[in-house]
Amino acid sequence: MGKRALAGAVVVFLMGAAAYASFYIAPEEKTMHVLQRIFYFHAATAWAGMTALFIGFVANLLYVWRREGKWDALGVACAEVGLACFTVVLITGPIWAKPAWGIYWTWDARLTSTFILWLLYVSYLLLRTLIEEPDRRALLSALFGIFAFIDVPIVFGAIRWWRTQHPAPVIMGGPGSGLDPTMSKVFFFSVFALHCLVVFLINERYRLEKLRAKFEIVRREAEAI
């Protein structure tokens, strides 16, 4: 418990430091001014969410291959954390878009594919509630999770493959893209902090799912007596 509390404290410190750096260390952007500072949280959360979903994708593949409960537990843990991240992305995006574009939402490739991704992982979690038999639930949700992950590279590549309302990538973008050196350091520190948060949450949710699975086994054995 002490290690978990320490890890949680470190994550809180990193998140606080990232927030401070975003508001007080990163220079103000010339066009959007203070509004642009949401970028350090909005984009970093999207990157962390994709990482969570990628780990879940690998866990789903391993469950289909090995049929071990730990991979099912990791898959659902990653799906929930990834979904939480993209919920934040879909909330912060319109907050940024309204003053920048004059509208909260537009159905361009990046926004639409992100919304579809959110719906897919909501469906993944709903599917798990509809199937009571554990092994069947784990297998079908793993297969659906593998299918749902197909949209992740589409979300990532949308602003690279198509012209969209969403700004062109400033990280790993084309010629002329990039950030001020201080902005870049603050952004990658925010990415690091968000990834630490995601890893911490996945670990906690994984532990909870394993306990839930053990409780379900005990409950079924008790009902069989």
Side-chain angles (χ1 to χ4, degrees):
M1 185 64 182
K3 291 182 179 179
R4 293 167 61 195
L6 178 60
V10 170
V11 168
V12 170
F13 171 78
L14 289 173
M15 291 297 296
Y20 179 85
S22 299
F23 282 101
Y24 298 108
I25 296 178
E28 191 170 278
E29 201 269 337
K30 294 180 180 179
T31 304
M32 291 181 284
H33 304 291
V34 70
L35 175 65
Q36 183 268 347
R37 295 185 186 279
I38 199 172
F39 160 78
Y40 302 104
F41 186 65
H42 173 75
T45 303
W47 281 32
M50 288 184 186
T51 299
L53 296 181
F54 175 74
I55 297 170
F57 169 69
V58 173
N60 289 330
L61 288 174
L62 287 171
Y63 180 81
V64 172
W65 180 30
R66 297 185 176 179
R67 304 297 173 90
E68 296 176 357
K70 63 181 181 180
W71 300 120
D72 176 57
L74 181 59
V76 68
C78 291
E80 288 191 3
V81 174
L83 179 62
C85 287
F86 276 97
T87 301
V88 171
V89 170
L90 289 173
I91 292 171
T92 56
I95 292 173
W96 188 3
K98 177 60 176 177
W101 302 341
I103 52 173
Y104 286 108
W105 185 267
T106 181
W107 294 98
D108 79 343
R110 166 57 72 84
L111 277 67
T112 302
S113 58
T114 302
F115 181 60
I116 291 172
L117 183 69
W118 185 86
L119 290 176
L120 285 169
Y121 280 91
V122 168
S123 301
Y124 169 92
L125 296 178
L126 287 175
L127 175 64
R128 293 184 65 89
T129 68
L130 299 176
I131 305 172
E132 188 170 345
E133 201 279 311
D135 292 338
R136 185 165 177 265
R137 177 178 62 227
L139 178 60
L140 291 179
S141 59
L143 292 172
F144 187 85
I146 293 168
F147 165 75
F149 183 79
I150 294 172
D151 194 33
V152 172
I154 296 175
V155 171
F156 180 80
I159 55 177
R160 293 166 171 82
W161 302 332
W162 302 292
R163 177 175 295 179
T164 69
Q165 179 76 29
H166 192 282
V170 294
I171 307 294
M172 296 182 292
S177 66
L179 291 172
D180 168 270
T182 304
M183 287 182 172
S184 181
K185 291 175 183 176
V186 170
F187 173 70
F188 282 108
F189 181 74
S190 296
V191 169
F192 173 71
L194 262 298
H195 275 77
C196 288
L197 175 62
V198 160
V199 170
F200 177 77
L201 293 176
I202 288 173
N203 184 61
E204 292 299 304
R205 182 60 184 88
Y206 175 70
R207 289 167 58 91
L208 179 62
E209 184 64 20
K210 288 180 72 176
L211 288 173
R212 187 205 61 77
K214 289 179 181 178
F215 173 79
E216 188 171 341
I217 292 172
V218 172
R219 180 180 63 82
R220 287 177 175 273
E221 289 177 348
E223 289 175 353
I225 296 176

